[in-house]
Amino acid sequence: MSLKTILKCVPLLAALSASGVAHADALADVKARGTLVCGTLGTSEPFSFQDPKTRQVVGYEVDLCRKVAEHLGVKLEIKMIAVAARIPELAGGRVDVVAANLGWTPERAQQIDYSYQHYVSPQKILIRRDDAATLATPADLADKRVSAVSGSSSEAGAKKLIPGVTTVTFKDPPTAFMALQQKKVSGFVGSELMLLKFKQDAESSPVKLDIIEKPLFVEPWGIGLRKGEDGLRKEVNQVLSQLETSGELQVIYDRWFGPDTKFPSKRVFKVEEIKD
């Protein structure tokens, strides 16, 4: 290669090098696009689910994403994603944030950043009522089979905390629930409110269900962001903090968890930084 040819390539090589180390700014991208793309499950009532009347995805976490979009002055786009796809969709830039029952774990915290906590979830185990006498605590599931959603912290927690357990995973909660009803597993591990909904639905079926009272573990949930996107994370945290201090978060919470809802429960957490 001649010196002249080499010199011609220098600007191109410099540009390629610069582009390789350049750091994308998600906040600037969101504002330039005019849309915040929020990844959520769409199958987890009351956090995100399809309203049977409007077919729109609604819920507690959808409301939080909407508040962030309003704060940024952009439109909100909801993208339904699977549990196992939450981090890949975020890392691949196909969503800007993930608000999808995203429990904090040390492993996930190495891959993504978290906002302040916006919910704290007891993870419990749903069992058949006929087995309640012998399955009184999570430890009683030792060496048995339990169902969980693939890629969930419930699956990881069951493996870590129940000796000898075999986890049978499914892509979504309804199929994991069916495995329990069909006696393919002895328990179904998931967030307490999700399990409560399945328990209520099963009251009209031949197979009645109960929830083991003692939690398997308790986990904080946050909104997920790509690593290093400090600008967007600062804005998300500001929104959550303002909702807390103004009392509006309680209003949103009561909309989905108040005494007149399917999931009446008292809010026992506050918005704050997730601690290791």
Side-chain angles (χ1 to χ4, degrees), residues 108-253:
R108 286 179 185 157
Q110 292 179 357
Q111 302 175 66
I112 63 172
D113 285 336
Y114 279 80
S115 72
Y116 294 160
Q117 67 181 25
H118 63 71
Y119 185 76
V120 173
S121 173
Q123 297 289 305
K124 294 191 173 183
I125 304 175
L126 189 66
I127 59 171
R128 292 181 293 275
R129 190 166 295 167
D130 290 345
D131 295 332
T134 56
L135 301 179
T137 71
D140 295 330
L141 274 297
D143 300 317
K144 299 186 183 299
R145 291 159 57 92
V146 300
S147 62
V149 176
S150 178
S152 67
S153 52
S154 304
E155 174 195 2
K159 288 179 177 179
K160 181 179 180 180
L161 300 171
I162 305 176
V165 76
T166 298
T167 56
V168 183
T169 59
F170 299 87
K171 67 177 183 178
D172 55 42
T175 47
F177 164 67
M178 287 299 298
L180 176 63
Q181 281 203 312
Q182 295 170 356
K183 299 187 177 183
K184 296 178 180 178
V185 295
S186 298
F188 169 26
V189 185
S191 67
E192 180 180 31
L193 287 179
M194 176 181 70
L195 299 184
L196 177 61
K197 177 64 164 57
F198 285 122
K199 176 181 180 295
Q200 292 169 346
D201 291 346
E203 286 301 313
S204 59
S205 75
V207 183
K208 305 294 190 296
L209 304 173
D210 280 326
I211 299 174
I212 294 177
E213 183 61 27
K214 183 179 179 180
L216 181 60
F217 63 98
V218 176
E219 66 174 10
W221 292 4
I223 293 175
L225 305 100
R226 286 187 290 280
K227 274 288 186 184
E229 295 293 357
D230 297 335
L232 183 55
R233 181 171 63 158
K234 180 180 178 181
E235 297 294 332
V236 171
N237 284 342
Q238 182 179 340
V239 171
L240 294 175
S241 295
Q242 289 175 344
L243 291 174
E244 179 71 87
T245 56
S246 69
E248 192 173 356
L249 185 67
Q250 188 64 52
V251 175
I252 295 173
Y253 186 89

Side-chain angles (χ1 to χ4, degrees), residues 12-125:
L12 176 60
L13 292 171
L16 289 173
S17 176
S19 65
V21 299
H23 184 265
D25 184 342
L27 179 58
D29 291 344
V30 167
K31 290 186 174 181
R33 189 193 315 131
T35 305
L36 176 73
V37 183
C38 175
T40 195
L41 299 180
T43 56
S44 180
E45 188 178 2
F47 299 99
S48 62
F49 64 103
Q50 284 190 312
D51 185 314
K53 295 181 180 179
T54 66
R55 307 308 299 169
Q56 297 296 310
V57 179
V58 298
Y60 177 70
E61 291 188 304
V62 175
D63 283 354
L64 297 183
C65 281
R66 182 169 291 107
K67 289 297 180 181
V68 174
E70 291 174 358
H71 171 77
L72 296 176
V74 299
K75 296 179 181 178
L76 175 65
E77 178 183 334
I78 293 295
K79 181 176 181 180
M80 292 173 59
I81 57 178
V83 169
R86 291 175 297 184
I87 292 179
E89 287 288 302
L90 187 60
R94 291 178 288 276
V95 297
D96 300 309
V97 297
V98 167
N101 300 34
L102 189 63
W104 185 94
T105 68
E107 295 77 18
R108 286 179 185 157
Q110 292 179 357
Q111 302 175 66
I112 63 172
D113 285 336
Y114 279 80
S115 72
Y116 294 160
Q117 67 181 25
H118 63 71
Y119 185 76
V120 173
S121 173
Q123 297 289 305
K124 294 191 173 183
I125 304 175

